[in-house]
Amino acid sequence: GENVEQHPSTLSVQEGDSAVIKCTYSDSASNYFPWYKQELGKGPQLIIDIRSNVGEKKDQRIAVTLNKTAKHFSLHITETQPEDSAVYFCAASNTGNQFYFGTGTSLTVIP
Amino acid sequence: ETGVTQSPTHLIKTRGQQVTLRCSSQSGHNTVSWYQQALGQGPQFIFQYYREEENGRGNFPPRFSGLQFPNYSSELNVNALELDDSALYLCASSSIGDHGELFFGEGSRLTVL
């Protein structure tokens, strides 16, 4: 089955700096890669996603890149703000019904 | 638009007992998925229900079972609870077909003593 690895497990940045979280996947059949943000006591919320026919996608301060050859994808958050502090999960799917999640990155933005 | 709601939010059970968790899917969604999230880990897929039938299952034993009702709400049942079943159980609704965005509820926190 699919195996998704995520790094780093914790990340601290100064407000205004950029944050980058990286994930690798093992199944070349995976073709959908969402990123979720989970705040304390809440369920994960989709923040951005990318499909395998696209190499990069951007939404305001958030961007995701995908390298299918190397089987890795990354989340980039620019101009970080304290409200960006949360746990971020990457995920991969090839069927649309089962998503494989990474182990999460706890991001702290220091004011 | 009504979001995904789960109940109960917290519960405590003892080893060997049975538990039922409930989920109401988001309006317009016909598919419900259940995930188990252990502390400090990512969510792990338990199963998905579509048209009241199981539509995919992760690596969980048969004592994890589910139901989907005509109104697309769902239940997760766990029998013979074990200590390792302690986790946050997340329900997510989506629309079948294309890779649908998963809309998660806030989860049910189960503690097994």
Side-chain angles (χ1 to χ4, degrees):
Chain A
E2 173 67 276
N3 181 43
V4 177
E5 295 190 356
Q6 182 172 347
H7 299 281
S9 56
T10 61
L11 179 60
S12 291
V13 298
Q14 293 289 332
E15 182 177 357
D17 287 351
S18 295
V20 180
I21 303 170
K22 298 182 178 182
C23 288
T24 61
Y25 62 99
S26 61
D27 187 353
S28 58
S30 290
N31 56 15
Y32 176 62
F33 307 92
W35 285 88
Y36 287 85
K37 175 183 181 182
Q38 187 172 28
E39 297 176 333
L40 199 61
K42 296 190 175 182
Q45 181 179 18
L46 179 74
I47 56 172
I48 195 167
D49 57 12
I50 192 167
R51 302 183 191 278
S52 59
N53 58 348
V54 175
E56 184 174 358
K57 183 176 178 180
K58 189 174 181 180
D59 182 4
Q60 299 184 341
R61 298 186 297 109
I62 296 174
V64 58
T65 59
L66 171 65
N67 183 326
K68 286 190 296 182
T69 303
K71 295 197 189 71
H72 66 69
F73 55 114
S74 301
L75 177 71
H76 305 252
I77 305 174
T78 59
E79 302 172 19
T80 53
Q81 301 167 3
E83 52 265 38
D84 293 330
S85 296
V87 179
Y88 291 81
F89 292 97
C90 61
S93 172
N94 69 350
T95 63
N97 69 342
Q98 181 167 357
F99 287 73
Y100 296 86
F101 285 81
T103 50
T105 296
S106 179
L107 173 64
T108 302
V109 179
I110 304 165
Chain B
E1 186 177 79
T2 307
V4 178
T5 57
Q6 294 186 243
S7 62
T9 54
H10 296 83
L11 70 167
I12 300 173
K13 293 285 187 178
T14 56
R15 198 169 43 182
Q17 285 188 313
Q18 177 265 345
V19 68
T20 297
L21 308 178
R22 295 177 175 83
C23 171
S24 292
S25 61
Q26 181 161 314
S27 152
H29 287 171
N30 54 18
T31 301
V32 173
S33 303
W34 287 92
Y35 285 79
Q36 180 195 66
Q37 186 177 23
L39 202 60
Q41 300 295 316
Q44 284 199 308
F45 178 71
I46 303 174
F47 43 55
Q48 182 187 76
Y49 276 82
Y50 169 63
R51 289 185 175 175
E52 303 176 46
E53 292 193 357
E54 191 177 283
N55 182 43
R57 186 180 185 94
N59 190 25
F60 281 82
R63 60 189 183 84
F64 285 77
S65 63
L67 286 172
Q68 185 183 31
F69 300 100
N71 66 354
Y72 307 123
S73 65
S74 178
E75 287 183 354
L76 165 65
N77 299 288
V78 187
N79 294 321
L81 284 168
E82 300 176 0
L83 298 179
D84 285 348
D85 295 333
S86 296
L88 180 68
Y89 288 85
L90 293 163
C91 171
S93 72
S94 59
S95 291
I96 201 72
D98 191 15
H99 284 300
E101 175 181 347
L102 289 181
F103 289 81
F104 283 93
E106 298 201 340
S108 294
R109 172 75 62 188
L110 171 65
T111 301
V112 182
L113 302 176

